[in-house]
Amino acid sequence: MANIYDGAFRTIINDCRKWIIPLVNEIFGENYTGNEEVCFLPNEHFLDQQDKPDKERITDTNFRIIGKDIKKYHIECESSYPDRKITIRLFEYDAQIALDEGEIIEETLTVTFPNTAVLYLRTYKKTPNKMKYVIATPGGIVQYNIPIIKMQDYSLDTIFEKRLFMLIPFYIFSHENRFSEYNRNEQKLKELKVEYQVILEKLDKLEQQEVIGAFDKRTIIELSGDVIQEIARRYENVQKGIGDMMRGALIETEARTILNQGKSQGISETKKKTAMKMLKRGKLTTEEIAEDLELSIEEVEQLAKLQTM
């Protein structure tokens, strides 16, 4: 289960990297403008274990931001019950990240630890509010805090105001403890659907304003659907109600992209209307319609999806 959420987090971090900056500003209190360069580093690290095969560890994120200064960052997405082992895992990751780029000059080893934080998708009574490293060395004690953010602390208004678009796929976690109620109460489920309709409308508006691109919007919607499908797998009405909304929005987004591409390529509205009529009659195959109207099969298929909505 956790792999679904980790995968969604890695995907949105890598595919929508422009929106890493607002998230980093929020977590670490930075003041990046958005003009900085985000450079990704390998997520796979091998921990050296004496007399044992090296253990592979995969971090959720490992990147640097290049602006006036260069800083390394490591953010982990956590959905499991707190087991007090995450701090150990984080330190293992951070130590390996530091070693991977360590420099040895005249027998002096210099390592730089990343700025590290944890995003908790679920909040339990034992979920910590802070973490801390205290490293006792012969040269003195080094200590610093590990920032923690919790999905439940972020309303839709806050997410959109601060442009924390990377959190949208995980917004459903804020409602997880009410799934039973939504599943049996149609009115309550309707209220949840209204919230997700607001999300889709805000994303549409941001796309129209060219704040986000079509690809970012599509990624956010697709990953939201994936997370909903997993988290609500035991609640059919919730999964169907919200999941269908996201799937419908995804189809519409894809269809609109094809239509816009068609416009840019000089495909006339007449051809599209004719294709829609031919699809409605159902006498010709997609391939035949595409051939007769000099459209691609993909364009006709997307028009067919749009027609069924």
Side-chain angles (χ1 to χ4, degrees), residues 8-41 43 60-66 71-75 115 149 162-167 212 216 220:
F9 187 67
R10 289 191 193 106
T11 298
I12 199 163
I13 283 282
N14 282 277
D15 289 358
C16 303
R17 62 184 62 190
K18 174 182 177 181
W19 303 112
I20 290 175
I21 298 295
L23 186 63
V24 168
N25 284 343
E26 174 68 14
I27 296 174
F28 297 99
E30 303 282 15
N31 293 299
Y32 292 123
T33 64
N35 295 320
E36 297 78 9
E37 180 184 354
V38 178
C39 178
F40 284 92
L41 304 169
N43 285 346
D60 286 341
T61 64
N62 182 18
F63 59 94
R64 65 165 63 100
I65 296 179
I66 303 171
K71 290 187 179 182
K72 291 192 293 188
Y73 294 93
H74 166 213
I75 305 173
N115 296 273
I149 61 170
K162 294 187 174 184
R163 299 193 171 186
L164 302 174
F165 305 136
M166 289 190 168
L167 298 183
I212 65 173
D216 288 352
I220 291 169

Short mmCIF file of all heavy atoms in Angstrom, two decimals, residues 8-41 43 60-66 71-75 115 149 162-167 212 216 220:
data_model
loop_
_atom_site.label_atom_id
_atom_site.label_comp_id
_atom_site.label_asym_id
_atom_site.label_seq_id
_atom_site.Cartn_x
_atom_site.Cartn_y
_atom_site.Cartn_z
N ALA A 8 3.45 7.71 -5.98
CA ALA A 8 2.74 8.93 -6.40
C ALA A 8 3.55 10.16 -6.03
O ALA A 8 3.65 11.12 -6.81
CB ALA A 8 1.35 8.98 -5.76
N PHE A 9 4.15 10.14 -4.84
CA PHE A 9 4.95 11.28 -4.39
C PHE A 9 6.18 11.45 -5.26
O PHE A 9 6.51 12.56 -5.69
CB PHE A 9 5.34 11.11 -2.92
CG PHE A 9 6.02 12.31 -2.33
CD1 PHE A 9 5.33 13.49 -2.15
CD2 PHE A 9 7.36 12.26 -1.97
CE1 PHE A 9 5.95 14.61 -1.60
CE2 PHE A 9 7.99 13.37 -1.43
CZ PHE A 9 7.28 14.54 -1.24
N ARG A 10 6.87 10.34 -5.55
CA ARG A 10 8.06 10.42 -6.41
C ARG A 10 7.69 10.93 -7.79
O ARG A 10 8.42 11.72 -8.40
CB ARG A 10 8.72 9.05 -6.53
CG ARG A 10 9.40 8.57 -5.27
CD ARG A 10 10.26 7.34 -5.55
NE ARG A 10 10.68 6.69 -4.31
CZ ARG A 10 10.18 5.55 -3.86
NH1 ARG A 10 9.26 4.91 -4.54
NH2 ARG A 10 10.62 5.04 -2.73
N THR A 11 6.54 10.46 -8.30
CA THR A 11 6.12 10.85 -9.65
C THR A 11 5.85 12.34 -9.73
O THR A 11 6.32 13.03 -10.65
CB THR A 11 4.87 10.06 -10.08
OG1 THR A 11 5.18 8.66 -10.12
CG2 THR A 11 4.41 10.50 -11.47
N ILE A 12 5.08 12.86 -8.78
CA ILE A 12 4.72 14.28 -8.88
C ILE A 12 5.94 15.16 -8.62
O ILE A 12 6.08 16.24 -9.22
CB ILE A 12 3.56 14.63 -7.92
CG1 ILE A 12 2.91 15.95 -8.37
CG2 ILE A 12 4.00 14.70 -6.46
CD1 ILE A 12 1.55 16.21 -7.78
N ILE A 13 6.85 14.72 -7.76
CA ILE A 13 8.08 15.47 -7.52
C ILE A 13 8.92 15.55 -8.79
O ILE A 13 9.45 16.60 -9.16
CB ILE A 13 8.89 14.83 -6.38
CG1 ILE A 13 8.28 15.17 -5.02
CG2 ILE A 13 10.35 15.26 -6.43
CD1 ILE A 13 8.59 16.54 -4.50
N ASN A 14 9.02 14.41 -9.49
CA ASN A 14 9.86 14.36 -10.69
C ASN A 14 9.20 14.98 -11.91
O ASN A 14 9.86 15.61 -12.74
CB ASN A 14 10.25 12.91 -11.00
CG ASN A 14 11.38 12.43 -10.10
OD1 ASN A 14 12.54 12.68 -10.35
ND2 ASN A 14 11.01 11.76 -9.01
N ASP A 15 7.87 14.78 -12.05
CA ASP A 15 7.19 15.24 -13.26
C ASP A 15 6.74 16.70 -13.18
O ASP A 15 6.54 17.34 -14.21
CB ASP A 15 5.97 14.35 -13.55
CG ASP A 15 6.38 12.97 -14.02
OD1 ASP A 15 7.59 12.73 -14.17
OD2 ASP A 15 5.50 12.11 -14.24
N CYS A 16 6.53 17.21 -11.98
CA CYS A 16 6.06 18.60 -11.82
C CYS A 16 7.07 19.39 -11.00
O CYS A 16 6.72 20.03 -10.00
CB CYS A 16 4.68 18.61 -11.15
SG CYS A 16 3.42 17.66 -12.01
N ARG A 17 8.31 19.33 -11.41
CA ARG A 17 9.39 19.86 -10.57
C ARG A 17 9.30 21.36 -10.33
O ARG A 17 9.85 21.86 -9.35
CB ARG A 17 10.74 19.48 -11.15
CG ARG A 17 11.05 20.02 -12.53
CD ARG A 17 12.39 19.49 -13.02
NE ARG A 17 12.40 18.04 -13.13
CZ ARG A 17 13.50 17.33 -13.34
NH1 ARG A 17 14.67 17.92 -13.45
NH2 ARG A 17 13.43 16.02 -13.45
N LYS A 18 8.58 22.07 -11.19
CA LYS A 18 8.43 23.51 -10.98
C LYS A 18 7.79 23.81 -9.63
O LYS A 18 8.08 24.84 -9.00
CB LYS A 18 7.56 24.11 -12.10
CG LYS A 18 7.21 25.58 -11.92
CD LYS A 18 6.31 26.06 -13.05
CE LYS A 18 5.89 27.52 -12.83
NZ LYS A 18 5.00 28.01 -13.91
N TRP A 19 6.93 22.89 -9.19
CA TRP A 19 6.18 23.13 -7.95
C TRP A 19 6.86 22.57 -6.72
O TRP A 19 6.29 22.58 -5.63
CB TRP A 19 4.76 22.59 -8.12
CG TRP A 19 4.11 23.22 -9.31
CD1 TRP A 19 3.76 22.64 -10.48
CD2 TRP A 19 3.78 24.61 -9.45
NE1 TRP A 19 3.25 23.56 -11.35
CE2 TRP A 19 3.23 24.79 -10.75
CE3 TRP A 19 3.90 25.72 -8.61
CZ2 TRP A 19 2.82 26.03 -11.21
CZ3 TRP A 19 3.48 26.96 -9.07
CH2 TRP A 19 2.95 27.10 -10.36
N ILE A 20 8.12 22.12 -6.89
CA ILE A 20 8.92 21.75 -5.72
C ILE A 20 9.26 23.00 -4.91
O ILE A 20 9.27 22.96 -3.68
CB ILE A 20 10.23 21.05 -6.17
CG1 ILE A 20 9.91 19.67 -6.74
CG2 ILE A 20 11.21 20.93 -5.01
CD1 ILE A 20 11.13 18.97 -7.30
N ILE A 21 9.50 24.11 -5.61
CA ILE A 21 9.96 25.33 -4.94
C ILE A 21 8.98 25.81 -3.86
O ILE A 21 9.39 26.05 -2.71
CB ILE A 21 10.24 26.45 -5.96
CG1 ILE A 21 11.37 26.03 -6.92
CG2 ILE A 21 10.58 27.76 -5.26
CD1 ILE A 21 12.71 25.84 -6.27
N PRO A 22 7.67 25.96 -4.17
CA PRO A 22 6.76 26.38 -3.10
C PRO A 22 6.71 25.40 -1.93
O PRO A 22 6.57 25.81 -0.77
CB PRO A 22 5.39 26.44 -3.81
CG PRO A 22 5.72 26.62 -5.25
CD PRO A 22 6.98 25.86 -5.47
N LEU A 23 6.84 24.09 -2.23
CA LEU A 23 6.83 23.09 -1.16
C LEU A 23 8.06 23.23 -0.27
O LEU A 23 7.96 23.19 0.97
CB LEU A 23 6.77 21.68 -1.77
CG LEU A 23 6.62 20.53 -0.77
CD1 LEU A 23 5.29 20.63 -0.03
CD2 LEU A 23 6.72 19.18 -1.49
N VAL A 24 9.22 23.44 -0.88
CA VAL A 24 10.45 23.63 -0.11
C VAL A 24 10.37 24.91 0.71
O VAL A 24 10.78 24.94 1.89
CB VAL A 24 11.67 23.65 -1.05
CG1 VAL A 24 12.91 24.13 -0.31
CG2 VAL A 24 11.92 22.26 -1.63
N ASN A 25 9.85 25.97 0.12
CA ASN A 25 9.67 27.22 0.88
C ASN A 25 8.79 27.00 2.11
O ASN A 25 9.08 27.51 3.19
CB ASN A 25 9.03 28.30 -0.01
CG ASN A 25 10.03 28.89 -0.99
OD1 ASN A 25 11.24 28.75 -0.85
ND2 ASN A 25 9.52 29.56 -2.01
N GLU A 26 7.72 26.23 1.94
CA GLU A 26 6.79 25.97 3.03
C GLU A 26 7.43 25.13 4.12
O GLU A 26 7.28 25.42 5.32
CB GLU A 26 5.55 25.24 2.49
CG GLU A 26 4.56 24.77 3.53
CD GLU A 26 3.82 25.89 4.25
OE1 GLU A 26 3.87 27.03 3.77
OE2 GLU A 26 3.19 25.62 5.29
N ILE A 27 8.13 24.09 3.74
CA ILE A 27 8.70 23.16 4.72
C ILE A 27 9.89 23.75 5.46
O ILE A 27 10.00 23.68 6.69
CB ILE A 27 9.12 21.84 4.05
CG1 ILE A 27 7.90 21.10 3.48
CG2 ILE A 27 9.84 20.94 5.04
CD1 ILE A 27 8.24 19.87 2.66
N PHE A 28 10.80 24.35 4.70
CA PHE A 28 12.09 24.75 5.27
C PHE A 28 12.19 26.26 5.53
O PHE A 28 13.24 26.72 5.98
CB PHE A 28 13.23 24.32 4.34
CG PHE A 28 13.34 22.83 4.18
CD1 PHE A 28 12.80 22.21 3.06
CD2 PHE A 28 13.96 22.05 5.13
CE1 PHE A 28 12.89 20.83 2.89
CE2 PHE A 28 14.06 20.67 4.98
CZ PHE A 28 13.53 20.06 3.86
N GLY A 29 11.12 26.99 5.22
CA GLY A 29 11.16 28.43 5.47
C GLY A 29 12.12 29.17 4.55
O GLY A 29 12.65 30.23 4.90
N GLU A 30 12.31 28.63 3.34
CA GLU A 30 13.17 29.27 2.36
C GLU A 30 12.41 30.40 1.65
O GLU A 30 11.19 30.54 1.80
CB GLU A 30 13.67 28.25 1.33
CG GLU A 30 14.42 27.07 1.92
CD GLU A 30 15.86 27.40 2.32
OE1 GLU A 30 16.19 28.61 2.40
OE2 GLU A 30 16.63 26.47 2.56
N ASN A 31 13.14 31.16 0.87
CA ASN A 31 12.53 32.27 0.12
C ASN A 31 12.89 32.19 -1.36
O ASN A 31 13.20 33.20 -1.99
CB ASN A 31 12.99 33.61 0.71
CG ASN A 31 12.45 33.85 2.10
OD1 ASN A 31 11.24 33.91 2.30
ND2 ASN A 31 13.34 33.96 3.07
N TYR A 32 12.84 31.00 -1.90
CA TYR A 32 13.14 30.84 -3.32
C TYR A 32 12.06 31.52 -4.16
O TYR A 32 10.88 31.55 -3.80
CB TYR A 32 13.20 29.36 -3.68
CG TYR A 32 14.37 28.61 -3.08
CD1 TYR A 32 14.16 27.49 -2.27
CD2 TYR A 32 15.67 29.02 -3.31
CE1 TYR A 32 15.23 26.80 -1.72
CE2 TYR A 32 16.75 28.34 -2.76
CZ TYR A 32 16.53 27.23 -1.97
OH TYR A 32 17.59 26.55 -1.43
N THR A 33 12.48 32.06 -5.29
CA THR A 33 11.55 32.81 -6.15
C THR A 33 10.87 31.94 -7.19
O THR A 33 9.85 32.32 -7.76
CB THR A 33 12.32 33.92 -6.89
OG1 THR A 33 13.29 33.31 -7.77
CG2 THR A 33 13.03 34.85 -5.91
N GLY A 34 11.44 30.78 -7.47
CA GLY A 34 10.92 29.93 -8.53
C GLY A 34 11.80 29.96 -9.77
O GLY A 34 11.58 29.19 -10.71
N ASN A 35 12.77 30.85 -9.78
CA ASN A 35 13.69 30.93 -10.92
C ASN A 35 14.93 30.07 -10.74
O ASN A 35 15.79 30.01 -11.61
CB ASN A 35 14.12 32.40 -11.13
CG ASN A 35 12.95 33.28 -11.52
OD1 ASN A 35 12.09 32.87 -12.30
ND2 ASN A 35 12.90 34.48 -10.97
N GLU A 36 15.01 29.39 -9.59
CA GLU A 36 16.16 28.55 -9.31
C GLU A 36 16.10 27.25 -10.12
O GLU A 36 15.04 26.84 -10.59
CB GLU A 36 16.24 28.22 -7.81
CG GLU A 36 16.44 29.42 -6.91
CD GLU A 36 15.18 30.22 -6.66
OE1 GLU A 36 14.07 29.75 -7.05
OE2 GLU A 36 15.27 31.31 -6.07
N GLU A 37 17.24 26.61 -10.24
CA GLU A 37 17.30 25.33 -10.96
C GLU A 37 17.17 24.19 -9.97
O GLU A 37 17.81 24.18 -8.91
CB GLU A 37 18.64 25.21 -11.70
CG GLU A 37 18.79 23.90 -12.46
CD GLU A 37 20.15 23.75 -13.10
OE1 GLU A 37 20.95 24.72 -13.04
OE2 GLU A 37 20.44 22.66 -13.64
N VAL A 38 16.31 23.23 -10.31
CA VAL A 38 16.15 22.03 -9.49
C VAL A 38 16.87 20.88 -10.20
O VAL A 38 16.57 20.57 -11.35
CB VAL A 38 14.65 21.67 -9.29
CG1 VAL A 38 14.52 20.39 -8.48
CG2 VAL A 38 13.92 22.82 -8.61
N CYS A 39 17.80 20.28 -9.51
CA CYS A 39 18.60 19.22 -10.10
C CYS A 39 18.43 17.94 -9.27
O CYS A 39 18.72 17.93 -8.07
CB CYS A 39 20.07 19.63 -10.13
SG CYS A 39 21.18 18.37 -10.78
N PHE A 40 17.94 16.88 -9.90
CA PHE A 40 17.69 15.63 -9.19
C PHE A 40 18.95 14.78 -9.11
O PHE A 40 19.74 14.72 -10.05
CB PHE A 40 16.56 14.84 -9.86
CG PHE A 40 15.20 15.40 -9.56
CD1 PHE A 40 14.63 16.33 -10.39
CD2 PHE A 40 14.52 15.01 -8.43
CE1 PHE A 40 13.39 16.87 -10.11
CE2 PHE A 40 13.28 15.53 -8.12
CZ PHE A 40 12.71 16.46 -8.97
N LEU A 41 19.07 14.11 -7.98
CA LEU A 41 20.19 13.21 -7.72
C LEU A 41 19.65 11.79 -7.61
O LEU A 41 18.44 11.59 -7.42
CB LEU A 41 20.90 13.63 -6.43
CG LEU A 41 21.39 15.09 -6.41
CD1 LEU A 41 21.84 15.48 -5.02
CD2 LEU A 41 22.52 15.29 -7.40
N ASN A 43 18.13 8.35 -6.46
CA ASN A 43 17.36 7.96 -5.28
C ASN A 43 17.85 6.65 -4.68
O ASN A 43 17.49 6.30 -3.56
CB ASN A 43 15.87 7.80 -5.65
CG ASN A 43 15.19 9.14 -5.81
OD1 ASN A 43 15.73 10.16 -5.41
ND2 ASN A 43 14.01 9.14 -6.39
N ASP A 60 12.64 8.79 -1.19
CA ASP A 60 11.52 9.34 -1.96
C ASP A 60 11.98 10.50 -2.84
O ASP A 60 11.51 10.66 -3.96
CB ASP A 60 10.40 9.80 -1.01
CG ASP A 60 9.64 8.62 -0.43
OD1 ASP A 60 9.73 7.53 -1.01
OD2 ASP A 60 8.96 8.80 0.60
N THR A 61 12.86 11.32 -2.31
CA THR A 61 13.39 12.44 -3.10
C THR A 61 14.83 12.70 -2.71
O THR A 61 15.23 12.46 -1.58
CB THR A 61 12.61 13.75 -2.84
OG1 THR A 61 12.79 14.13 -1.46
CG2 THR A 61 11.13 13.60 -3.11
N ASN A 62 15.57 13.19 -3.65
CA ASN A 62 16.97 13.56 -3.41
C ASN A 62 17.34 14.56 -4.51
O ASN A 62 17.55 14.18 -5.65
CB ASN A 62 17.86 12.32 -3.47
CG ASN A 62 19.32 12.64 -3.19
OD1 ASN A 62 19.65 13.68 -2.63
ND2 ASN A 62 20.20 11.74 -3.60
N PHE A 63 17.39 15.83 -4.15
CA PHE A 63 17.62 16.84 -5.17
C PHE A 63 18.37 18.03 -4.57
O PHE A 63 18.44 18.19 -3.35
CB PHE A 63 16.30 17.31 -5.79
CG PHE A 63 15.33 17.91 -4.79
CD1 PHE A 63 15.29 19.27 -4.56
CD2 PHE A 63 14.43 17.11 -4.10
CE1 PHE A 63 14.40 19.83 -3.65
CE2 PHE A 63 13.54 17.65 -3.19
CZ PHE A 63 13.51 19.00 -2.96
N ARG A 64 18.89 18.84 -5.45
CA ARG A 64 19.51 20.08 -4.99
C ARG A 64 18.84 21.25 -5.71
O ARG A 64 18.32 21.11 -6.82
CB ARG A 64 21.02 20.09 -5.24
CG ARG A 64 21.43 20.06 -6.69
CD ARG A 64 22.91 20.43 -6.84
NE ARG A 64 23.79 19.48 -6.19
CZ ARG A 64 24.43 18.51 -6.81
NH1 ARG A 64 24.28 18.35 -8.11
NH2 ARG A 64 25.22 17.70 -6.16
N ILE A 65 18.82 22.38 -5.04
CA ILE A 65 18.31 23.62 -5.64
C ILE A 65 19.49 24.57 -5.80
O ILE A 65 20.22 24.85 -4.85
CB ILE A 65 17.20 24.25 -4.78
CG1 ILE A 65 15.99 23.31 -4.74
CG2 ILE A 65 16.80 25.62 -5.34
CD1 ILE A 65 14.83 23.82 -3.91
N ILE A 66 19.65 25.03 -7.03
CA ILE A 66 20.78 25.90 -7.35
C ILE A 66 20.26 27.31 -7.56
O ILE A 66 19.54 27.61 -8.52
CB ILE A 66 21.50 25.41 -8.62
CG1 ILE A 66 21.95 23.95 -8.43
CG2 ILE A 66 22.69 26.30 -8.95
CD1 ILE A 66 22.47 23.30 -9.70
N LYS A 71 21.90 24.05 -2.31
CA LYS A 71 21.48 23.28 -1.14
C LYS A 71 20.88 21.94 -1.58
O LYS A 71 20.18 21.87 -2.59
CB LYS A 71 20.43 24.06 -0.32
CG LYS A 71 20.97 25.27 0.40
CD LYS A 71 19.89 25.87 1.30
CE LYS A 71 20.41 27.09 2.05
NZ LYS A 71 19.38 27.66 2.96
N LYS A 72 21.16 20.92 -0.77
CA LYS A 72 20.61 19.60 -1.03
C LYS A 72 19.38 19.37 -0.14
O LYS A 72 19.35 19.81 1.02
CB LYS A 72 21.65 18.51 -0.76
CG LYS A 72 22.80 18.50 -1.75
CD LYS A 72 23.64 17.23 -1.63
CE LYS A 72 24.37 17.16 -0.33
NZ LYS A 72 25.34 16.04 -0.29
N TYR A 73 18.40 18.66 -0.70
CA TYR A 73 17.17 18.39 0.03
C TYR A 73 16.78 16.92 -0.09
O TYR A 73 17.04 16.26 -1.10
CB TYR A 73 16.03 19.26 -0.51
CG TYR A 73 16.24 20.73 -0.26
CD1 TYR A 73 16.85 21.54 -1.21
CD2 TYR A 73 15.83 21.32 0.93
CE1 TYR A 73 17.06 22.89 -0.98
CE2 TYR A 73 16.03 22.68 1.17
CZ TYR A 73 16.64 23.45 0.21
OH TYR A 73 16.85 24.78 0.44
N HIS A 74 16.15 16.44 0.96
CA HIS A 74 15.66 15.06 1.02
C HIS A 74 14.33 15.09 1.77
O HIS A 74 14.28 15.46 2.95
CB HIS A 74 16.70 14.19 1.76
CG HIS A 74 16.18 12.85 2.17
ND1 HIS A 74 16.61 12.21 3.32
CD2 HIS A 74 15.26 12.03 1.59
CE1 HIS A 74 15.99 11.05 3.44
NE2 HIS A 74 15.17 10.93 2.41
N ILE A 75 13.25 14.74 1.06
CA ILE A 75 11.91 14.72 1.67
C ILE A 75 11.34 13.32 1.57
O ILE A 75 11.32 12.73 0.48
CB ILE A 75 10.97 15.72 0.97
CG1 ILE A 75 11.58 17.13 0.95
CG2 ILE A 75 9.60 15.75 1.66
CD1 ILE A 75 10.78 18.13 0.13
N ASN A 115 19.23 18.93 3.65
CA ASN A 115 18.10 19.43 4.44
C ASN A 115 16.99 18.39 4.32
O ASN A 115 16.53 18.10 3.21
CB ASN A 115 17.63 20.77 3.89
CG ASN A 115 18.68 21.85 4.03
OD1 ASN A 115 18.77 22.50 5.05
ND2 ASN A 115 19.51 22.02 3.01
N ILE A 149 5.70 18.02 8.27
CA ILE A 149 4.41 18.60 7.89
C ILE A 149 3.39 17.47 7.80
O ILE A 149 3.74 16.32 7.49
CB ILE A 149 4.47 19.39 6.57
CG1 ILE A 149 4.89 18.51 5.40
CG2 ILE A 149 5.40 20.58 6.71
CD1 ILE A 149 4.73 19.21 4.06
N LYS A 162 -0.99 28.87 -1.28
CA LYS A 162 0.47 28.74 -1.19
C LYS A 162 1.05 27.99 -2.39
O LYS A 162 2.26 27.76 -2.43
CB LYS A 162 0.85 28.02 0.11
CG LYS A 162 0.51 28.83 1.36
CD LYS A 162 1.06 28.15 2.62
CE LYS A 162 0.84 29.03 3.84
NZ LYS A 162 1.43 28.44 5.06
N ARG A 163 0.17 27.60 -3.31
CA ARG A 163 0.58 26.88 -4.52
C ARG A 163 1.29 25.57 -4.20
O ARG A 163 2.27 25.19 -4.85
CB ARG A 163 1.44 27.77 -5.42
CG ARG A 163 0.69 29.01 -5.88
CD ARG A 163 1.39 29.74 -6.99
NE ARG A 163 0.53 30.79 -7.55
CZ ARG A 163 0.81 31.53 -8.60
NH1 ARG A 163 1.96 31.36 -9.22
NH2 ARG A 163 -0.03 32.43 -9.05
N LEU A 164 0.76 24.89 -3.20
CA LEU A 164 1.31 23.59 -2.81
C LEU A 164 0.59 22.50 -3.61
O LEU A 164 0.02 21.56 -3.07
CB LEU A 164 1.12 23.37 -1.30
CG LEU A 164 1.76 24.44 -0.41
CD1 LEU A 164 1.40 24.19 1.05
CD2 LEU A 164 3.28 24.47 -0.59
N PHE A 165 0.65 22.63 -4.93
CA PHE A 165 -0.11 21.74 -5.81
C PHE A 165 0.32 20.29 -5.69
O PHE A 165 -0.44 19.38 -5.98
CB PHE A 165 0.01 22.20 -7.26
CG PHE A 165 -0.41 23.64 -7.48
CD1 PHE A 165 0.34 24.49 -8.28
CD2 PHE A 165 -1.54 24.15 -6.88
CE1 PHE A 165 -0.03 25.81 -8.47
CE2 PHE A 165 -1.93 25.47 -7.06
CZ PHE A 165 -1.17 26.30 -7.85
N MET A 166 1.55 20.06 -5.22
CA MET A 166 2.04 18.70 -5.06
C MET A 166 1.29 17.95 -3.96
O MET A 166 1.37 16.72 -3.89
CB MET A 166 3.53 18.71 -4.74
CG MET A 166 4.36 19.11 -5.94
SD MET A 166 6.10 18.83 -5.65
CE MET A 166 6.71 19.05 -7.32
N LEU A 167 0.58 18.66 -3.11
CA LEU A 167 -0.15 18.02 -2.02
C LEU A 167 -1.56 17.58 -2.46
O LEU A 167 -2.21 16.81 -1.74
CB LEU A 167 -0.26 18.95 -0.82
CG LEU A 167 1.06 19.38 -0.16
CD1 LEU A 167 0.77 20.24 1.06
CD2 LEU A 167 1.91 18.18 0.22
N ILE A 212 -0.44 26.90 -14.38
CA ILE A 212 0.04 25.53 -14.53
C ILE A 212 -0.19 25.10 -15.98
O ILE A 212 -1.07 25.61 -16.66
CB ILE A 212 -0.67 24.55 -13.57
CG1 ILE A 212 -2.17 24.43 -13.90
CG2 ILE A 212 -0.46 24.95 -12.13
CD1 ILE A 212 -2.87 23.36 -13.11
N ASP A 216 1.05 19.31 -16.12
CA ASP A 216 0.99 19.33 -14.66
C ASP A 216 -0.42 19.03 -14.18
O ASP A 216 -0.62 18.26 -13.22
CB ASP A 216 1.43 20.70 -14.13
CG ASP A 216 2.92 20.93 -14.28
OD1 ASP A 216 3.62 19.98 -14.66
OD2 ASP A 216 3.38 22.06 -14.03
N ILE A 220 -1.54 15.80 -11.86
CA ILE A 220 -2.20 15.97 -10.56
C ILE A 220 -3.51 15.18 -10.52
O ILE A 220 -3.80 14.47 -9.54
CB ILE A 220 -2.47 17.46 -10.28
CG1 ILE A 220 -1.15 18.19 -10.04
CG2 ILE A 220 -3.39 17.63 -9.07
CD1 ILE A 220 -1.27 19.71 -10.01
#
